[in-house]
Coordinates of all heavy atoms in Angstrom, one line a residue:
M1 N 36.4 26.9 32.1 CA 35.1 27.4 32.7 C 34.4 26.4 33.5 O 34.1 25.3 33.0 CB 34.2 28.0 31.5 CG 33.1 28.8 32.0 SD 32.2 29.5 30.7 CE 31.6 28.1 29.8
A2 N 34.1 26.7 34.7 CA 33.4 25.7 35.5 C 31.9 25.7 35.3 O 31.3 26.7 35.1 CB 33.7 26.0 37.0
P3 N 31.4 24.5 35.2 CA 29.9 24.4 35.1 C 29.3 24.7 36.5 O 29.9 24.8 37.5 CB 29.7 22.9 34.8 CG 30.9 22.2 35.4 CD 32.0 23.2 35.3
E4 N 28.0 25.0 36.4 CA 27.3 25.4 37.7 C 27.3 24.2 38.7 O 27.5 24.4 39.9 CB 25.9 25.8 37.3 CG 25.2 26.6 38.5 CD 23.9 27.1 38.1 OE1 23.5 27.1 36.9 OE2 23.1 27.5 39.0
F5 N 27.0 23.0 38.1 CA 27.0 21.9 38.9 C 28.1 20.9 38.4 O 28.2 20.7 37.2 CB 25.7 21.2 39.0 CG 24.6 22.1 39.6 CD1 23.8 22.9 38.8 CD2 24.5 22.1 41.0 CE1 22.8 23.7 39.4 CE2 23.5 22.9 41.6 CZ 22.7 23.7 40.8
C6 N 28.8 20.2 39.3 CA 29.8 19.3 38.9 C 29.1 18.1 38.2 O 28.2 17.5 38.8 CB 30.5 18.8 40.1 SG 31.7 17.4 39.7
P7 N 29.4 17.8 36.9 CA 28.8 16.7 36.2 C 29.3 15.4 36.8 O 28.7 14.3 36.4 CB 29.3 16.9 34.8 CG 30.5 17.7 34.9 CD 30.4 18.5 36.1
N8 N 30.3 15.4 37.5 CA 30.8 14.1 38.1 C 30.1 13.7 39.4 O 29.6 12.6 39.5 CB 32.3 14.3 38.4 CG 33.0 13.0 38.5 OD1 32.7 12.1 37.8 ND2 34.0 12.9 39.4
C9 N 29.8 14.7 40.3 CA 29.2 14.3 41.5 C 27.9 15.1 41.8 O 27.2 14.8 42.8 CB 30.2 14.4 42.7 SG 30.7 16.1 43.0
G10 N 27.7 16.1 41.0 CA 26.4 16.9 41.1 C 26.4 18.0 42.2 O 25.4 18.7 42.4
V11 N 27.6 18.2 42.8 CA 27.7 19.3 43.8 C 27.7 20.6 43.1 O 28.2 20.8 42.0 CB 28.9 19.0 44.7 CG1 29.7 20.3 45.0 CG2 28.5 18.3 46.0
K12 N 27.2 21.7 43.8 CA 27.3 23.0 43.2 C 28.7 23.5 43.2 O 29.4 23.4 44.3 CB 26.4 23.9 44.0 CG 26.1 25.2 43.2 CD 25.0 26.0 44.0 CE 24.5 27.2 43.2 NZ 25.3 27.8 42.2
V13 N 29.2 24.0 42.1 CA 30.5 24.4 42.0 C 30.6 26.0 42.0 O 29.8 26.6 41.3 CB 31.2 23.9 40.7 CG1 32.6 24.4 40.6 CG2 31.1 22.4 40.6
P14 N 31.4 26.5 42.9 CA 31.6 28.0 42.9 C 32.0 28.5 41.5 O 32.8 27.9 40.8 CB 32.7 28.3 43.9 CG 32.7 27.0 44.7 CD 32.3 25.9 43.9
P15 N 31.4 29.6 41.1 CA 31.6 30.1 39.7 C 33.1 30.3 39.3 O 33.5 30.0 38.2 CB 31.0 31.5 39.7 CG 30.0 31.5 40.8 CD 30.6 30.5 41.8
K16 N 33.9 30.6 40.2 CA 35.3 30.9 39.9 C 36.2 29.7 40.2 O 37.4 29.7 40.1 CB 35.9 32.1 40.7 CG 35.2 33.4 40.3 CD 36.0 34.0 39.1 CE 35.3 35.2 38.5 NZ 35.3 36.4 39.4
A17 N 35.6 28.6 40.7 CA 36.4 27.4 41.1 C 37.1 26.8 39.9 O 36.5 26.8 38.8 CB 35.5 26.4 41.8
K18 N 38.3 26.3 40.1 CA 39.0 25.6 39.1 C 38.8 24.1 39.1 O 39.1 23.4 38.2 CB 40.5 25.9 39.2 CG 40.9 27.4 38.8 CD 42.0 27.4 37.8 CE 42.2 28.8 37.2 NZ 43.0 29.6 38.1
A19 N 38.3 23.7 40.3 CA 38.1 22.3 40.4 C 36.9 22.1 41.4 O 36.5 23.0 42.2 CB 39.3 21.5 41.0
C20 N 36.2 20.9 41.3 CA 35.1 20.7 42.1 C 35.5 20.5 43.6 O 36.5 19.8 43.8 CB 34.4 19.4 41.7 SG 33.1 18.8 42.8
P21 N 34.9 21.3 44.5 CA 35.3 21.2 45.9 C 35.0 19.8 46.5 O 35.5 19.5 47.5 CB 34.5 22.3 46.5 CG 33.3 22.5 45.7 CD 33.8 22.2 44.3
E22 N 34.1 19.1 45.9 CA 33.6 17.8 46.5 C 34.5 16.7 46.0 O 35.0 15.9 46.8 CB 32.2 17.6 46.1 CG 31.5 16.5 46.9 CD 31.5 16.7 48.4 OE1 31.5 17.8 48.8 OE2 31.6 15.7 49.1
C23 N 34.6 16.5 44.7 CA 35.3 15.3 44.1 C 36.6 15.6 43.5 O 37.3 14.7 43.1 CB 34.3 14.6 43.2 SG 34.1 15.4 41.6
G24 N 36.9 16.9 43.2 CA 38.2 17.3 42.7 C 38.2 17.2 41.2 O 39.3 17.4 40.6
A25 N 37.1 17.0 40.5 CA 37.0 17.0 39.1 C 37.4 18.4 38.6 O 36.9 19.4 39.2 CB 35.7 16.6 38.5
D26 N 38.1 18.5 37.5 CA 38.4 19.9 36.9 C 38.4 19.8 35.4 O 38.0 18.8 34.9 CB 39.8 20.4 37.4 CG 40.9 19.5 37.0 OD1 40.7 18.6 36.1 OD2 42.0 19.6 37.6
E27 N 38.8 20.9 34.8 CA 38.7 21.0 33.3 C 39.5 19.8 32.7 O 39.0 19.3 31.7 CB 39.3 22.3 32.9 CG 38.2 23.4 32.9 CD 38.9 24.7 32.4 OE1 39.2 24.8 31.2 OE2 39.0 25.6 33.2
Q28 N 40.6 19.5 33.2 CA 41.5 18.5 32.6 C 40.9 17.1 32.8 O 40.8 16.3 31.9 CB 42.9 18.5 33.2 CG 43.9 19.3 32.3 CD 43.6 20.8 32.5 OE1 43.5 21.2 33.7 NE2 43.6 21.5 31.5
T29 N 40.5 16.8 34.0 CA 40.1 15.4 34.3 C 38.6 15.2 34.1 O 38.2 14.2 33.6 CB 40.5 15.1 35.8 OG1 39.8 16.0 36.6 CG2 41.9 15.2 36.0
G30 N 37.8 16.1 34.6 CA 36.4 15.7 34.7 C 35.5 16.4 33.8 O 35.0 15.9 32.8
W31 N 35.1 17.7 34.1 CA 33.9 18.2 33.6 C 34.0 18.8 32.2 O 33.0 19.1 31.6 CB 33.3 19.2 34.5 CG 34.1 20.4 34.8 CD1 34.8 21.2 33.9 CD2 34.3 21.0 36.1 NE1 35.4 22.2 34.5 CE2 35.1 22.2 35.9 CE3 33.9 20.7 37.4 CZ2 35.5 23.0 36.9 CZ3 34.3 21.5 38.4 CH2 35.1 22.6 38.2
S32 N 35.2 19.0 31.6 CA 35.2 19.5 30.3 C 34.5 18.5 29.3 O 33.8 18.9 28.4 CB 36.6 19.9 29.8 OG 37.4 18.7 29.7
G33 N 34.9 17.3 29.5 CA 34.3 16.2 28.6 C 32.8 16.0 28.9 O 32.0 16.0 28.1
A34 N 32.5 16.0 30.2 CA 31.2 15.7 30.6 C 30.3 16.8 30.3 O 29.1 16.6 29.9 CB 31.1 15.5 32.1
A35 N 30.7 18.1 30.4 CA 29.9 19.2 30.0 C 29.5 19.2 28.6 O 28.5 19.7 28.2 CB 30.7 20.5 30.3
R36 N 30.4 18.6 27.7 CA 30.2 18.6 26.3 C 28.9 17.7 26.0 O 28.3 17.9 25.1 CB 31.4 18.0 25.6 CG 31.7 18.9 24.4 CD 32.9 18.5 23.6 NE 33.8 17.6 24.2 CZ 35.1 17.8 24.4 NH1 35.6 18.9 24.0 NH2 35.9 16.9 24.9
Y37 N 28.7 16.7 26.9 CA 27.6 15.8 26.6 C 26.3 16.5 26.6 O 25.4 16.2 25.9 CB 27.5 14.7 27.7 CG 28.7 13.8 27.7 CD1 29.4 13.4 28.9 CD2 29.2 13.2 26.5 CE1 30.5 12.6 28.8 CE2 30.3 12.4 26.5 CZ 30.9 12.1 27.6 OH 32.0 11.2 27.6
D38 N 26.2 17.6 27.5 CA 25.0 18.3 27.6 C 24.6 19.0 26.3 O 23.5 19.2 26.0 CB 25.1 19.4 28.7 CG 25.4 18.8 30.0 OD1 25.0 17.6 30.2 OD2 25.9 19.5 30.9
H39 N 25.6 19.3 25.5 CA 25.4 20.0 24.2 C 25.3 19.0 23.0 O 25.0 19.4 21.9 CB 26.5 21.0 24.0 CG 26.6 22.0 25.1 ND1 25.6 22.9 25.4 CD2 27.6 22.2 26.0 CE1 26.0 23.6 26.5 NE2 27.2 23.2 26.9
L40 N 25.6 17.8 23.3 CA 25.5 16.8 22.2 C 24.1 16.3 22.1 O 23.5 15.8 23.0 CB 26.5 15.6 22.5 CG 27.9 15.8 22.1 CD1 28.7 14.5 22.4 CD2 28.0 16.0 20.6
D41 N 23.7 16.3 20.8 CA 22.4 15.6 20.6 C 22.7 14.2 20.2 O 23.5 13.9 19.3 CB 21.7 16.3 19.4 CG 20.8 17.5 19.8 OD1 20.4 17.5 21.0 OD2 20.7 18.4 19.0
L42 N 22.1 13.3 21.0 CA 22.3 11.9 20.7 C 21.0 11.3 20.3 O 20.3 10.7 21.1 CB 22.9 11.2 21.9 CG 24.3 11.7 22.4 CD1 24.7 11.0 23.6 CD2 25.3 11.4 21.3
P43 N 20.6 11.4 19.0 CA 19.4 10.9 18.6 C 19.4 9.4 18.6 O 20.3 8.7 18.2 CB 19.2 11.4 17.1 CG 20.6 11.7 16.7 CD 21.4 12.1 17.9
N44 N 18.3 8.8 19.2 CA 18.1 7.4 19.3 C 19.3 6.7 20.0 O 19.6 5.5 19.8 CB 18.0 6.7 17.9 CG 17.0 7.4 17.0 OD1 15.9 7.8 17.6 ND2 17.2 7.6 15.8
G45 N 20.0 7.5 20.8 CA 21.1 6.9 21.6 C 22.2 6.5 20.6 O 23.1 5.7 21.0
D46 N 22.2 7.0 19.4 CA 23.3 6.6 18.5 C 24.6 7.2 19.0 O 24.7 8.4 19.2 CB 23.0 7.2 17.1 CG 23.7 6.5 16.0 OD1 24.3 5.4 16.3 OD2 23.8 6.9 14.9
F47 N 25.6 6.4 19.1 CA 26.9 6.8 19.7 C 28.0 6.5 18.7 O 28.3 5.3 18.4 CB 27.1 6.1 21.0 CG 28.3 6.6 21.7 CD1 28.3 7.9 22.3 CD2 29.5 5.9 21.8 CE1 29.4 8.4 23.0 CE2 30.6 6.3 22.5 CZ 30.6 7.6 23.1
D48 N 28.6 7.5 18.1 CA 29.7 7.4 17.2 C 31.0 7.3 18.0 O 31.5 8.4 18.4 CB 29.7 8.5 16.2 CG 30.7 8.2 15.1 OD1 31.6 7.4 15.3 OD2 30.5 8.8 14.0
Y49 N 31.5 6.2 18.2 CA 32.7 6.0 19.1 C 33.9 6.7 18.5 O 34.7 7.4 19.2 CB 33.0 4.5 19.3 CG 34.2 4.3 20.3 CD1 34.0 4.6 21.6 CD2 35.4 4.0 19.8 CE1 35.1 4.5 22.5 CE2 36.5 3.8 20.7 CZ 36.3 4.0 22.0 OH 37.4 3.9 22.8
D50 N 34.1 6.6 17.2 CA 35.3 7.2 16.5 C 35.2 8.7 16.7 O 36.2 9.3 17.0 CB 35.3 6.8 15.0 CG 35.7 5.4 14.8 OD1 36.4 4.8 15.7 OD2 35.3 4.8 13.8
D51 N 34.0 9.2 16.5 CA 33.9 10.7 16.7 C 34.1 11.1 18.1 O 34.8 12.1 18.3 CB 32.4 11.1 16.3 CG 32.4 12.3 15.5 OD1 33.2 12.5 14.6 OD2 31.6 13.2 15.8
F52 N 33.7 10.3 19.0 CA 33.9 10.5 20.4 C 35.4 10.6 20.7 O 35.9 11.5 21.4 CB 33.2 9.5 21.3 CG 33.5 9.5 22.7 CD1 33.0 10.5 23.5 CD2 34.4 8.6 23.3 CE1 33.3 10.5 24.9 CE2 34.7 8.6 24.6 CZ 34.2 9.6 25.4
V53 N 36.1 9.6 20.3 CA 37.5 9.5 20.5 C 38.2 10.8 19.9 O 39.1 11.4 20.5 CB 38.1 8.2 19.9 CG1 39.6 8.3 19.9 CG2 37.6 7.0 20.7
K54 N 37.8 11.1 18.7 CA 38.4 12.3 18.0 C 38.2 13.5 18.9 O 39.1 14.4 19.0 CB 37.7 12.5 16.6 CG 38.8 12.7 15.6 CD 38.1 12.8 14.2 CE 37.8 11.5 13.6 NZ 37.1 11.6 12.3
Q55 N 37.0 13.7 19.4 CA 36.7 14.9 20.2 C 37.4 14.8 21.5 O 37.9 15.8 22.0 CB 35.2 15.0 20.5 CG 34.4 15.4 19.2 CD 32.9 15.6 19.6 OE1 32.5 15.6 20.7 NE2 32.1 15.7 18.5
E56 N 37.5 13.7 22.1 CA 38.1 13.6 23.4 C 39.6 13.8 23.4 O 40.2 14.4 24.2 CB 37.8 12.2 24.0 CG 36.5 12.0 24.7 CD 36.3 13.0 25.8 OE1 37.0 12.9 26.8 OE2 35.4 13.9 25.7
F57 N 40.2 13.2 22.3 CA 41.7 13.3 22.3 C 42.2 14.3 21.3 O 43.4 14.5 21.3 CB 42.2 11.9 22.0 CG 41.9 10.9 23.1 CD1 40.8 10.0 22.9 CD2 42.5 10.8 24.3 CE1 40.4 9.1 23.8 CE2 42.2 9.9 25.2 CZ 41.1 9.1 25.0
G58 N 41.3 14.9 20.6 CA 41.8 16.0 19.7 C 42.9 15.6 18.8 O 42.9 14.6 18.1
G59 N 44.0 16.4 18.9 CA 45.1 16.1 18.0 C 46.1 15.1 18.6 O 47.0 14.6 18.0
E60 N 45.8 14.7 19.8 CA 46.7 13.8 20.5 C 46.4 12.4 20.0 O 45.7 11.6 20.7 CB 46.5 13.9 22.0 CG 47.0 15.2 22.6 CD 46.8 15.2 24.1 OE1 47.2 14.3 24.8 OE2 46.1 16.1 24.6
K61 N 46.9 12.1 18.9 CA 46.7 10.7 18.4 C 47.7 9.8 19.1 O 48.8 10.2 19.4 CB 47.0 10.7 16.9 CG 45.9 11.3 16.0 CD 44.8 10.3 15.8 CE 43.6 10.9 15.2 NZ 42.5 10.0 15.2
P62 N 47.2 8.6 19.4 CA 48.1 7.6 20.1 C 49.3 7.2 19.2 O 50.1 6.4 19.7 CB 47.1 6.4 20.3 CG 46.0 6.6 19.4 CD 45.9 8.1 19.1
I63 N 49.3 7.6 17.9 CA 50.4 7.2 17.1 C 51.3 8.4 16.8 O 50.9 9.2 16.0 CB 49.9 6.6 15.7 CG1 49.0 5.5 16.0 CG2 51.1 6.2 14.9 CD1 48.2 5.1 14.8
P64 N 52.3 8.6 17.6 CA 53.2 9.8 17.4 C 54.1 9.6 16.2 O 54.3 8.5 15.7 CB 54.0 9.8 18.7 CG 54.0 8.4 19.1 CD 52.8 7.7 18.6
R65 N 54.8 10.7 15.8 CA 55.7 10.6 14.7 C 56.8 9.6 14.9 O 57.4 9.1 14.0 CB 56.3 12.0 14.4 CG 55.4 12.8 13.5 CD 56.0 14.2 13.3 NE 56.4 14.7 14.6 CZ 57.2 15.8 14.8 NH1 57.6 16.4 13.7 NH2 57.5 16.3 15.9
G66 N 57.1 9.5 16.2 CA 58.3 8.6 16.5 C 58.1 7.2 16.0 O 59.1 6.6 15.6
V67 N 56.9 6.7 16.0 CA 56.7 5.4 15.5 C 57.1 5.3 14.0 O 57.7 4.4 13.5 CB 55.2 5.0 15.6 CG1 54.9 3.7 14.9 CG2 54.9 4.8 17.1
H68 N 56.6 6.3 13.3 CA 56.9 6.3 11.8 C 58.4 6.3 11.6 O 59.0 5.5 10.8 CB 56.4 7.6 11.2 CG 56.4 7.7 9.8 ND1 55.7 6.8 9.0 CD2 57.1 8.5 8.9 CE1 56.0 7.1 7.7 NE2 56.8 8.1 7.7
W69 N 59.1 7.1 12.4 CA 60.6 7.2 12.3 C 61.2 5.9 12.7 O 62.1 5.4 12.0 CB 61.0 8.3 13.3 CG 62.5 8.4 13.5 CD1 63.3 9.2 12.7 CD2 63.3 7.9 14.5 NE1 64.6 9.1 13.2 CE2 64.6 8.3 14.3 CE3 63.0 7.1 15.6 CZ2 65.6 7.9 15.1 CZ3 64.0 6.7 16.5 CH2 65.4 7.1 16.2
L70 N 60.6 5.2 13.7 CA 61.2 3.9 14.1 C 61.0 2.9 13.0 O 61.9 2.1 12.8 CB 60.4 3.5 15.4 CG 61.1 2.4 16.2 CD1 62.3 2.9 16.9 CD2 60.1 1.8 17.2
W71 N 59.9 2.9 12.3 CA 59.7 2.0 11.3 C 60.7 2.2 10.2 O 61.1 1.2 9.5 CB 58.2 2.0 10.8 CG 57.3 1.3 11.6 CD1 56.3 1.8 12.4 CD2 57.3 -0.2 11.9 NE1 55.7 0.7 13.1 CE2 56.3 -0.4 12.8 CE3 58.1 -1.2 11.4 CZ2 56.0 -1.7 13.2 CZ3 57.8 -2.5 11.8 CH2 56.8 -2.7 12.7
W72 N 61.0 3.4 9.9 CA 62.0 3.7 8.9 C 63.3 3.0 9.3 O 64.0 2.4 8.5 CB 62.2 5.2 8.7 CG 61.3 5.7 7.6 CD1 60.2 6.5 7.7 CD2 61.5 5.5 6.2 NE1 59.7 6.8 6.5 CE2 60.4 6.2 5.5 CE3 62.4 4.7 5.4 CZ2 60.3 6.1 4.2 CZ3 62.2 4.7 4.1 CH2 61.2 5.4 3.4
L73 N 63.7 3.2 10.6 CA 64.9 2.7 11.1 C 64.9 1.1 10.9 O 65.9 0.5 10.5 CB 65.0 3.0 12.6 CG 66.5 3.0 13.1 CD1 67.2 4.2 12.6 CD2 66.5 3.0 14.6
V74 N 63.8 0.5 11.3 CA 63.7 -0.9 11.1 C 63.8 -1.4 9.7 O 64.6 -2.3 9.4 CB 62.3 -1.4 11.7 CG1 62.0 -2.9 11.3 CG2 62.2 -1.2 13.2
A75 N 63.2 -0.6 8.8 CA 63.3 -1.0 7.4 C 64.7 -0.8 6.9 O 65.2 -1.7 6.2 CB 62.4 0.0 6.6
I76 N 65.4 0.2 7.3 CA 66.8 0.4 6.8 C 67.7 -0.6 7.4 O 68.5 -1.2 6.7 CB 67.2 1.8 7.3 CG1 66.5 2.9 6.4 CG2 68.8 2.0 7.1 CD1 66.7 4.3 7.0
A77 N 67.4 -1.0 8.7 CA 68.2 -2.0 9.3 C 68.0 -3.3 8.6 O 69.0 -4.1 8.4 CB 67.8 -2.1 10.8
L78 N 66.8 -3.7 8.3 CA 66.5 -4.9 7.5 C 67.2 -4.9 6.2 O 67.8 -5.9 5.8 CB 65.0 -5.0 7.3 CG 64.3 -5.7 8.5 CD1 62.8 -5.7 8.3 CD2 64.7 -7.1 8.7
A79 N 67.1 -3.8 5.5 CA 67.7 -3.7 4.2 C 69.2 -3.8 4.3 O 69.9 -4.5 3.5 CB 67.4 -2.3 3.5
A80 N 69.8 -3.2 5.3 CA 71.3 -3.3 5.5 C 71.6 -4.7 5.8 O 72.6 -5.2 5.3 CB 71.7 -2.4 6.6
G81 N 70.8 -5.4 6.6 CA 71.1 -6.7 7.0 C 71.0 -7.6 5.7 O 71.9 -8.5 5.5
L82 N 70.1 -7.4 4.9 CA 70.0 -8.2 3.7 C 71.2 -8.0 2.8 O 71.7 -8.9 2.2 CB 68.7 -7.8 2.9 CG 67.4 -8.7 3.2 CD1 66.2 -8.1 2.5 CD2 67.7 -10.1 2.9
L83 N 71.6 -6.7 2.7 CA 72.7 -6.4 1.8 C 74.0 -7.1 2.3 O 74.7 -7.7 1.6 CB 72.9 -4.9 1.8 CG 72.3 -4.1 0.7 CD1 72.5 -2.6 0.9 CD2 72.8 -4.6 -0.6
L84 N 74.2 -7.0 3.6 CA 75.4 -7.7 4.2 C 75.3 -9.2 4.0 O 76.3 -9.8 3.7 CB 75.4 -7.4 5.7 CG 76.0 -6.1 6.1 CD1 75.9 -5.8 7.6 CD2 77.5 -6.1 5.7
F85 N 74.1 -9.7 4.1 CA 73.9 -11.2 3.9 C 74.3 -11.6 2.4 O 74.9 -12.6 2.2 CB 72.4 -11.5 4.2 CG 72.2 -13.0 4.0 CD1 72.6 -13.9 5.0 CD2 71.4 -13.5 3.0 CE1 72.3 -15.2 4.9 CE2 71.1 -14.8 2.8 CZ 71.6 -15.7 3.8
W86 N 73.9 -10.7 1.5 CA 74.1 -11.0 0.1 C 75.6 -10.7 -0.3 O 76.1 -11.3 -1.2 CB 73.3 -10.1 -0.8 CG 71.9 -10.7 -1.0 CD1 71.5 -12.0 -0.8 CD2 70.7 -10.0 -1.3 NE1 70.2 -12.1 -1.1 CE2 69.7 -10.9 -1.4 CE3 70.4 -8.7 -1.6 CZ2 68.3 -10.6 -1.7 CZ3 69.1 -8.3 -1.9 CH2 68.1 -9.3 -1.9
W87 N 76.2 -9.8 0.4 CA 77.6 -9.4 0.1 C 78.6 -10.6 0.3 O 79.5 -10.7 -0.5 CB 78.0 -8.2 1.0 CG 78.6 -7.1 0.2 CD1 79.9 -6.8 0.2 CD2 77.9 -6.2 -0.6 NE1 80.1 -5.7 -0.6 CE2 78.9 -5.4 -1.2 CE3 76.6 -6.0 -1.1 CZ2 78.7 -4.3 -2.1 CZ3 76.3 -5.0 -1.9 CH2 77.3 -4.2 -2.4
R88 N 78.3 -11.4 1.3 CA 79.3 -12.5 1.5 C 79.2 -13.6 0.5 O 78.2 -14.1 0.2 CB 79.0 -13.0 2.9 CG 79.3 -12.0 4.0 CD 79.2 -12.6 5.4 NE 78.9 -11.6 6.4 CZ 78.6 -11.8 7.7 NH1 78.5 -13.1 8.1 NH2 78.5 -10.9 8.5
Ligands
ZN101 ZN1 32.4 16.9 41.8

């Protein structure tokens, strides 16, 4: 949903527009996050960065399952290496 005015550059955005005609900001890149600021109460300018990150990135955590899997591989490789070392 496009805001009435682009929060990025302040230009009036056509109601059906998918992106700002002036600066190109759209739901993905620009105004979805910026529009949220309008509804956020920030008492005393208190800014919860962790909360902000959680809202901004949602479920997209920078630590994917692949890392976990990789660490298992490393652990197994280390264990196997130790076993081979002891075997001789
Ligand atoms: Zn704009």
Side-chain angles (χ1 to χ4, degrees):
M1 191 173 64
E4 195 177 349
F5 295 96
C6 174
N8 201 34
C9 67
V11 137
K12 195 172 192 331
V13 179
K16 292 274 170 71
K18 288 234 171 80
C20 172
E22 189 63 29
C23 70
D26 60 18
E27 274 180 68
Q28 263 76 46
T29 59
W31 62 45
S32 67
R36 229 178 347 234
Y37 295 134
D38 297 339
H39 304 294
L40 272 182
D41 274 330
L42 298 176
N44 310 322
D46 199 13
F47 186 72
D48 192 335
Y49 183 73
D50 287 336
D51 221 45
F52 170 75
V53 168
K54 225 178 279 174
Q55 284 184 13
E56 278 300 294
F57 298 100
E60 293 178 52
K61 284 279 171 189
I63 305 162
R65 275 179 311 171
V67 171
H68 189 67
W69 174 83
L70 195 72
W71 278 114
W72 269 110
L73 204 73
V74 168
I76 289 167
L78 274 174
L82 267 177
L83 267 177
L84 276 174
F85 182 74
W86 277 336
W87 227 255
R88 293 183 201 174

